[in-house]
């Protein structure tokens, strides 16, 4: 093991990483071969590569070529392979992707206006990853309407679960972001990305309908426990509506059709009880959240006006948000509209904005905020008209919205993978709902 990593905490050494990765690679090959299509295999492999690379952060965060880190090169490789060999050009014109293209255009425009073309390219690459993952999932579902490839995609998350289990077995914790406890993230760099990756695993388990019931339940339970052990409060809060939706729909659908109405009532009562127990269990962790929600406007003010106690609320998030908002307000009228440029906060602030809308306002201005809200609205509207999995899809989109309110999944490839999977499934489900169904066969008269 190696504990000299980045400032965040200890990491596994190559003596553990390499043999464990070799074993996991065998399972990946089996999963990719059985994914049912080239597109499905691409999704499985792309996810596995990202989550495995996270365990090698000591090496993958360093510049390897052209000033790009190993993680950046890996993402570019996935995008390039996807565009060349997986994505059908016609699917690039899916109407649901228009807000993403608007964000790319705004990122490039804002970067040009602020004299930082590199920042615009970096932002464009991240959104390209989202597009590739979304279309890949959509195409895989068109080849496999039973979503069998998602059953094999659960293998992609084994690196997270295995390395987390090893961190427990070898007593390799990390200090929590708040400094008030220990978290278990398997030698990964930070609990934010790790927990979002596990949340993606839970999402995959939700829709892996063809997996054996026992395997699916065990996987959902493992990712559920893993998220709790990772201890990232934002992800735990965002995870709640999706977990509740899975619990309610699972109980309701487990009985005969004529028994589903009373079971739904029973499930609702049980769900309320579970939420109450969870609220009591995490009451101390979310006390400052309740304080903020009681008067949010009171904590959005000039940073110099924060007293010592206010600086500690929600791990200083109101202070961070205010710093960005007032810095944007000090910009020019053109910057109010188009922002100060993608990734322009680096070198100016010590920490990233911890809120997607605040970050978008600072980087892309009012037009960027409008494009981001448009993307969320388009996808949630599509989920509301989806066929089959509407309840869980809406819960997943709400979970992603909550995630964006206190962290930045659009800044993390793990978050883009989550949203790409969710949007790809949403687009397929809404297309299935609008596709005309064949009518009854009519007899042919001679």
């Amino acid at each position: 093991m190696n504990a000299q990593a980045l400032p965040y905490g200890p990491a596994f050494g190559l003596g553990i990483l390499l043999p464990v990765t070799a074993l996991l690679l065998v399972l990946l090959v089996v999963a990719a071969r059985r994914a049912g299509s080239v597109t499905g295999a691409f999704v499985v492999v792309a996810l596995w590569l990202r989550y495995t690379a996270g365990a090698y952060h000591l090496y993958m965060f360093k510049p390897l070529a052209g000033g790009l880190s190993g993680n950046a090169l890996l993402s570019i490789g996935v995008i390039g392979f996807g565009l060349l060999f997986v994505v059908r050009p016609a699917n690039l014109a899916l109407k649901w992707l228009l807000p993403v293209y608007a964000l790319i255009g705004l990122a490039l425009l804002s970067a040009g206006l602020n004299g930082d073309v590199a920042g615009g390219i970096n932002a464009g690459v991240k959104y390209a990853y989202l597009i590739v993952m979304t279309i890949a999932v959509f195409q895989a579902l068109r080849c496999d309407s039973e979503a069998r490839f998602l059953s094999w995609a659960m293998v992609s998350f084994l690196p997270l679960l295995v390395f987390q289990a090893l961190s427990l077995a070898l007593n390799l914790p990390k200090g929590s972001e708040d400094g008030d406890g220990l978290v278990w993230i398997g030698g990964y760099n930070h609990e934010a990305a790790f927990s979002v990756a596990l949340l993606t695993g839970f999402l995959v388990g939700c829709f892996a309908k063809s997996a054996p019931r026992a395997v699916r339940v065990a996987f959902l339970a493992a990712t559920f426990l893993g998220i709790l052990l990772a201890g990232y409060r934002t992800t735990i809060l965002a995870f709640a509506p999706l977990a509740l939706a899975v619990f309610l729909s699972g109980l309701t659908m487990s009985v005969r059709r004529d028994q589903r109405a009373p079971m739904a009532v029973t499930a609702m009562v049980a769900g309320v009880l579970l939420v109450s127990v969870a609220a009591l269990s995490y009451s101390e962790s979310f006390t400052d959240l309740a304080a903020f929600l009681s008067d949010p406007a009171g904590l959005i003010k000039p940073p110099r006006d924060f007293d010592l106690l206010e600086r500690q609320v929600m791990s200083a998030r109101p202070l961070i948000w205010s710093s960005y908002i007032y810095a944007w307000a000090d910009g020019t009228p053109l910057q109010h509209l188009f922002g100060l440029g993608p990734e322009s906060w680096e070198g100016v602030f010590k920490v990233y904005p911890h809120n997607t809308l605040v970050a978008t306002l600072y980087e892309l201005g009012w037009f960027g905020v409008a494009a981001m809200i448009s993307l969320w609205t388009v996808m949630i509207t599509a989920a509301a008209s989806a066929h089959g999995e509407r309840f869980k899809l809406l819960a997943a989109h709400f979970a992603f919205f909550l995630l964006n309110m206190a962290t930045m999944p659009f800044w993390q490839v793990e978050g883009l993978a989550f949203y790409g999977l969710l949007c790809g499934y949403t687009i397929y489900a809404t297309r299935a709902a609008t596709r005309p169904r064949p009518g009854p066969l009519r007899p042919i008269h001679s």
Side-chain angles (χ1 to χ4, degrees):
M1 289 179 288
N2 189 352
Q4 61 184 17
L6 300 172
Y8 297 107
F12 293 119
L14 295 178
I16 291 177
L17 288 173
L18 292 178
V20 173
T21 301
L23 292 174
L24 294 169
L25 182 60
V26 174
L27 296 175
L28 172 67
V29 172
V30 174
R33 289 175 62 90
R34 298 187 181 182
S37 66
V38 172
T39 313
F42 170 79
V43 173
V44 172
V45 173
L47 292 174
W48 187 92
L49 287 173
R50 180 63 192 184
Y51 302 141
T52 302
Y56 289 79
H57 65 85
L58 289 180
Y59 315 97
M60 297 297 288
F61 278 21
K62 296 178 180 179
L64 294 183
L68 297 174
S69 68
N71 275 340
L73 291 171
L74 179 62
S75 298
I76 292 171
V78 168
I79 294 168
F81 186 90
L83 290 174
L84 289 173
F85 303 108
V86 177
V87 170
R88 295 173 185 169
N91 288 332
L92 290 169
L94 288 169
K95 63 181 180 180
W96 295 274
L97 296 177
L98 288 177
V100 185
Y101 292 126
L103 285 167
I104 293 175
L106 286 168
L108 295 174
L109 176 59
S110 179
L113 292 174
N114 289 280
D116 182 19
V117 177
I121 293 174
N122 289 339
V125 168
K126 290 178 181 178
Y127 287 122
Y129 187 95
L130 173 62
I131 290 170
V132 167
M133 289 301 296
T134 298
I135 296 177
V137 171
F138 169 72
Q139 288 182 186
L141 287 167
R142 295 194 72 183
C143 299
D144 173 19
S145 60
E146 295 300 317
R148 285 181 289 269
F149 81 98
L150 287 179
S151 300
W152 292 105
M154 292 191 291
V155 171
S156 304
F157 299 88
L158 289 181
L160 301 166
L161 297 172
V162 170
F163 284 121
Q164 186 182 49
L166 284 174
S167 69
L168 284 165
L170 299 174
N171 192 29
L172 193 70
K174 171 192 172 296
S176 68
E177 181 188 45
D178 304 322
D180 58 357
L182 299 177
V183 296
W184 306 87
I185 56 174
Y188 283 67
N189 184 44
H190 194 273
E191 55 264 39
F194 183 83
S195 60
V196 170
L198 281 177
L199 182 59
T200 310
F202 192 87
L203 178 73
V204 167
C206 289
F207 297 113
K209 298 175 289 187
S210 64
R213 184 178 180 85
V215 172
R216 187 182 178 196
V217 170
F219 180 77
L220 288 171
T223 50
F224 179 92
L225 180 60
I227 290 170
L228 297 182
L229 288 171
Y232 194 63
R233 291 185 300 177
T234 302
T235 306
I236 292 173
L237 180 64
F239 170 66
L242 181 57
L244 183 61
V246 171
F247 174 76
L248 295 177
S249 60
L251 281 182
T252 303
M253 299 303 293
S254 64
V255 297
R256 297 195 314 267
R257 186 177 297 275
D258 60 328
Q259 297 177 341
R260 286 178 184 172
M263 178 55 77
V265 175
T266 303
M268 284 294 295
V269 173
V272 170
L273 291 174
L274 286 175
V275 169
S276 301
V277 171
L280 291 173
S281 300
Y282 285 93
S283 58
E284 292 186 7
S285 298
F286 293 105
T287 299
D288 50 356
L289 173 61
F292 172 76
L293 293 177
S294 65
D295 184 21
L299 285 177
I300 301 299
K301 56 187 178 181
R304 63 179 178 273
D305 293 344
F306 279 74
D307 61 31
L308 182 61
L309 290 177
E310 290 172 337
R311 288 172 181 268
Q312 298 173 357
V313 173
M314 294 174 59
S315 303
R317 276 170 172 73
L319 173 62
I320 295 169
W321 300 338
S322 295
S323 299
Y324 278 89
I325 292 171
Y326 279 87
W328 164 82
D330 288 337
T332 66
L334 194 62
Q335 288 174 327
H336 290 167
L337 293 176
F338 296 101
L340 284 80
E343 302 185 359
S344 57
W345 60 269
E346 294 186 10
V348 178
F349 296 96
K350 291 183 179 180
V351 293
Y352 69 98
H354 284 77
N355 181 294
T356 296
L357 290 180
V358 171
T360 305
L361 181 68
Y362 181 83
E363 295 183 347
L364 305 181
W366 282 121
F367 283 120
V369 171
M372 185 64 71
I373 293 176
S374 174
L375 172 60
W376 295 346
T377 303
V378 164
M379 290 301 172
I380 291 173
T381 302
S385 61
H387 175 70
E389 303 281 3
R390 185 180 309 164
F391 182 46
K392 286 191 287 188
L393 280 173
L394 288 172
H397 280 283
F398 183 57
F400 186 72
F401 172 78
L402 291 177
L403 201 61
N404 279 276
M405 292 302 99
T407 190
M408 286 171 54
F410 278 94
W411 189 59
Q412 308 162 345
V413 175
E414 290 80 4
L416 295 171
F418 177 94
Y419 202 46
L421 280 161
L422 178 57
C423 291
Y425 202 106
T426 299
I427 293 171
Y428 173 79
T430 194
R431 285 274 294 259
T434 57
R435 189 180 304 137
R437 300 182 183 180
L441 296 176
R442 296 180 180 180
I444 300 176
H445 300 286
S446 56

